[in-house]
């Protein structure tokens, strides 16, 4: 009886989807392209049919599933960690980039670019066990607010993309995150927020060490970068962690370009989509000249290759849930 | 109508399982322990209930899911690759360990231990694209035979473990391989043979490089070892690739000890099992003093911690399918 009810529920759900699987998307090109692709690869007997096991879809996170301005959200976490850990690190008072950051001079603190950032990430993330780190992320997300919107960071995910993730999964796709963000910064919340479990999150990774502490096994984070999951690093991490080529990939910056190239170079039907940040009013507008989420080469290749480009301003009725 | 038939099929299947989910297992301690654990963690409302998403089970491959004597099966592949590639490498005629191997002196070829082996693995695997490598594995498995049994290598998987994998999945578990073997050597066939898709295979990994060849993106294997998925490397790879701690782990050697420690050190119900090779007649008998699949410390810890130990001779009615 229970199973019978589940069949009814599944039937009703599929009917509901048929009505409009993507209600926050305007009835413009991108929505049509997505639905056309999904219907094509799921239609039994069609020459474009793809077995469910091969329906792998990969999503960048920063700027594709949630906002990334004025800074990658993980950096706000790092800044707060530096402040929290400062009493234990008196040397930071004179050591850059920590000193500037503690004086509130964000511009100077971030002037060192990626190298300075990485130093802060390492200093604040390493030495903890993976469980301690997970707790620090969860605790921070529970109270931290975005400086401009005042929203919780996990409330700044894109409603249209949440609908897209659900729609793809309802059609047998397996959805993965493939992000430049730290893998352990994302995993504590991606299942709850996106419905993507930890084992389907690919990201930048630091060193890890297994050891016994008081006879109890722990895994400790080490101050070394093992994999930078950006640009060429994305197809490499996809190969290493997923082990097969996606048939659909979603990004928003030049850092996602190689993932989109790799995805679309496979045989059979393929789908690539760029989220273009064009909405200065409801979100942010930036592309070719942005320091964060630069979309320049990618925009050109999208045109050349006929990839789908979403204009947030024109193609999305709603930004946040 | 199709869905209704599927419900009937599912009902019949579940009845069949209820009759005996593990027909190739004798009705001895290990079988009872497995069933007791599975019933406990899947019983809604029980204090030991574990939500399906957290039912992660990890399996070593060599010696746990298939045989590993007289050599890890991947080494037979490497030997055949060396022979196939020899015409392109005249220098191998005088360069060890290649020279000994090409003369058929396996003992000398393998005398260099892990280092010499690794050299051969690198020399024969690196430089190929991941697609070329996958094809070489698939082609080899289609014709290669085990020197003692004359069977195809993929026919030397353990029937009781196939039943166990199916039983766990039927109870909502997600089954993963966590093996010292090369990740790209396993992925081409684990789905077909074990029902484990590529993205649920964790293993040793070499360097990878994304590049354009004639304008087409490829991923090329590099001659470097990035992760040795053995001993302490197993919990580390579990953390990195799966991102959560298994609740059940299955191994056969000291190389799996840390994975079993890590698994059982978590809170809530946990299950650890060692396959003990005790059947010289139907398979091989070896443990504390074996060069391949040494089980020494692990056997002691299993006793101390009350882990389940399967005697292949006494607890399995059947070895191969």
């Amino acid at each position: 009886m229970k199973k019978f009810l589940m069949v009814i529920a599944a039937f009703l759900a599929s009917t509901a989807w048929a009505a409009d699987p993507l209600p926050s998307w305007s009835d413009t090109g991108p929505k049509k392209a997505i639905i056309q692709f999904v219907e094509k690869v799921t239609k039994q007997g069609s020459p474009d049919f793809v077995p469910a096991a091969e329906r792998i879809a990969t999503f960048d996170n920063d700027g594709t599933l949630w906002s990334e301005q004025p800074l990658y959200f993980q950096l706000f976490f790092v800044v707060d960690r530096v402040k929290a850990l400062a009493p234990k690190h008196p040397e930071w008072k004179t050591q850059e980039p920590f000193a500037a950051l503690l004086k509130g001079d964000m511009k100077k603190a971030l002037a060192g670019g990626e190298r300075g950032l990485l130093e802060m990430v390492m200093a604040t993330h390493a030495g903890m066990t993976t469980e301690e780190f997970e707790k620090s992320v969860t605790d921070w997300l529970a109270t931290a607010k975005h400086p401009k919107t005042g929203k919780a960071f996990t409330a700044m995910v894109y409603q249209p993309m949440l609908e897209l993730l659900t729609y793809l999964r309802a059609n047998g796709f397996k959805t993965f995150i493939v992000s430049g963000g730290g893998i352990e910064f994302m995993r504590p919340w991606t299942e709850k927020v996106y419905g993507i479990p930890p084992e389907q999150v690919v990201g930048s990774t630091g060193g890890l060490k297994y050891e016994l502490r008081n006879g109890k096994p722990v895994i400790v984070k080490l101050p070394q970068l093992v994999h930078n999951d950006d640009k060429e690093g994305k197809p490499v991490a996809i190969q290493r962690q997923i082990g097969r080529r996606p048939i659909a990939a979603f990004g928003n910056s030049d850092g996602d370009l190689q993932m989109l190239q790799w995805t679309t170079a496979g045989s059979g039907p393929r789908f690539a989509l760029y989220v273009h940040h064009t909405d200065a009013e409801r979100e942010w507008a930036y592309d070719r000249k942005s320091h964060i989420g630069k979309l320049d080469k990618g925009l050109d290749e999208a045109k050349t290759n006929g990839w789908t480009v979403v204009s947030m301003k024109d193609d999305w009725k709603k930004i946040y849930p």
Side-chain angles (χ1 to χ4, degrees), chain A:
Chain A
M1 186 59 187
K2 197 172 153 207
K3 274 195 177 131
F4 181 70
L5 288 175
M6 278 169 70
V7 169
I8 299 286
F11 175 76
L12 290 174
S14 67
T15 309
W17 283 127
D20 189 353
L22 303 170
S24 300
W25 292 68
S26 305
D27 288 323
T28 45
K31 178 173 177 171
K32 285 174 190 162
I34 291 167
I35 292 175
Q36 192 182 24
F37 175 75
V38 170
E39 289 182 346
K40 186 167 72 174
V41 300
T42 54
K43 194 177 172 185
Q44 286 266 9
S46 140
D48 289 321
F49 178 77
V50 176
E54 290 165 28
R55 290 180 210 151
I56 304 285
T58 53
F59 290 79
D60 169 58
N61 186 38
D62 299 307
T64 300
L65 294 180
W66 73 351
S67 293
E68 60 180 353
Q69 295 286 0
L71 288 176
Y72 296 124
F73 293 176
Q74 189 173 358
L75 294 184
F76 289 112
F77 170 70
V78 170
V79 165
D80 286 348
R81 291 298 303 163
V82 168
K83 288 176 185 167
L85 293 171
K88 286 183 185 168
H89 292 272
E91 76 278 12
W92 287 354
K93 276 183 192 156
T94 54
Q95 186 186 327
E96 296 300 349
F98 304 97
L101 193 152
L102 291 171
K103 280 177 206 136
D105 187 347
M106 284 298 291
K107 206 171 167 187
K108 190 176 171 192
L110 299 174
E114 242 178 68
R115 177 151 203 95
L117 282 174
L118 207 60
E119 239 172 83
M120 286 196 282
V121 170
M122 294 305 175
T124 53
H125 292 23
M128 301 172 95
T129 68
T130 49
E131 288 186 341
E132 289 164 354
F133 183 75
E134 183 177 334
K135 188 174 179 314
S136 78
V137 173
T138 308
D139 289 352
W140 180 77
L141 283 173
T143 58
K145 301 284 181 222
H146 187 276
K148 188 184 160 194
T149 66
K151 288 177 187 281
F153 289 101
T154 49
M156 292 178 71
V157 297
Y158 304 134
Q159 175 63 24
M161 296 306 276
L162 297 181
E163 293 167 7
L164 176 56
L165 287 166
T166 305
Y167 173 57
L168 290 174
R169 287 193 294 259
N171 281 283
F173 281 76
K174 206 163 178 177
T175 53
F176 287 81
I177 287 174
V178 178
S179 167
I183 200 165
E184 281 157 343
F185 175 72
M186 297 184 282
R187 281 175 163 162
W189 53 273
T190 54
E191 186 152 33
K192 204 170 149 192
V193 174
Y194 301 133
I196 297 179
E199 61 270 25
Q200 285 162 226
V201 176
V202 180
S204 292
T205 52
L208 295 174
K209 188 173 182 277
Y210 174 87
E211 63 180 48
L212 297 177
R213 280 191 182 175
N214 308 320
K216 210 192 148 202
V218 292
I219 295 177
V220 180
K221 287 173 75 69
L222 302 178
Q224 44 178 239
L225 181 69
V226 167
H227 178 74
N228 183 9
D229 198 37
D230 196 31
K231 299 197 170 71
E232 288 82 5
K234 292 204 176 195
V236 163
I238 287 170
Q239 175 65 22
R240 197 167 281 147
Q241 196 167 326
I242 305 177
R244 47 183 156 196
R245 199 193 294 244
I247 64 163
F250 303 82
N252 77 300
S253 80
D254 283 358
D256 304 312
L257 179 56
Q258 287 78 3
M259 173 168 79
L260 270 57
Q261 288 173 341
W262 176 242
T263 299
T264 52
S267 59
R270 303 279 153 172
F271 191 79
L273 181 149
Y274 262 130
V275 173
H276 190 188
H277 293 264
T278 51
D279 197 328
E281 205 172 305
R282 295 183 301 171
E283 208 238 3
W284 282 269
Y286 57 97
D287 49 30
R288 296 186 189 271
K289 287 178 181 170
S290 178
H291 281 292
I292 299 251
K294 179 176 168 177
L295 177 63
D296 182 31
K297 276 188 205 171
L299 210 48
D300 296 335
E301 279 214 26
K303 270 184 202 159
T304 310
N305 302 329
W307 296 343
T308 298
V309 177
V310 167
S311 162
M312 290 176 75
K313 189 177 174 183
D314 306 313
D315 299 320
W316 285 0
K317 294 184 196 165
K318 205 174 176 180
I319 305 286
Y320 302 126

